[in-house]
Amino acid sequence: MIPKFRGLSIDEKSKGEWQYGYLIEDNGQAFIINEVVEANEQYITIGSWDPVRPDTVSQSTGLYDKNGKEIFERDILDYNGRKVIVKWHGSYACFIYEFVDELKNRTTEWQPLYLSYYKFEIIGNSLENPELLEVE
């Protein structure tokens, strides 16, 4: 299975809109492929693609929140009234979550997302809603 990504478009027609699909990175640039017309071992024909800001690229976790919405890296979720942020943990090769109110003090360890994703609700993401990461 090929991983799915999202990124904010820098194309004139769709600037600032989220684009979803496959990722191609080349020389510091990032492109989201929205449509593949044909592909085989020797070539790929791309139907449509959008250049995106590389700093906004996030990978899908392949999991969905309790409302059926797809969860991506950097999403901020509600978990019984507490906010958590989704991250990729490279050493363990899995998506994790950390409670936002404990990030500053580092008083908590991360938890694997796949164990309880169905209890979460997406309330934003760290790129569009950085205020959700603020602790009172």
Side-chain angles (χ1 to χ4, degrees), residues 73-87:
E73 179 180 20
R74 299 184 190 176
D75 275 347
I76 301 170
L77 315 172
D78 178 78
Y79 181 64
N80 294 330
R82 290 181 72 191
K83 293 179 279 187
V84 302
I85 185 162
V86 177
K87 298 179 178 182

Side-chain angles (χ1 to χ4, degrees), residues 21 24 107 117 119 128:
I24 294 178
T107 58
Y117 65 91
K119 297 178 183 178
E128 293 180 311

Side-chain angles (χ1 to χ4, degrees), residues 50-69:
D50 276 290
V52 296
R53 285 183 27 209
D55 64 319
T56 67
V57 173
S58 301
Q59 185 174 345
S60 169
T61 64
L63 304 170
Y64 295 83
D65 75 355
K66 66 182 183 181
N67 298 318
K69 192 171 177 186

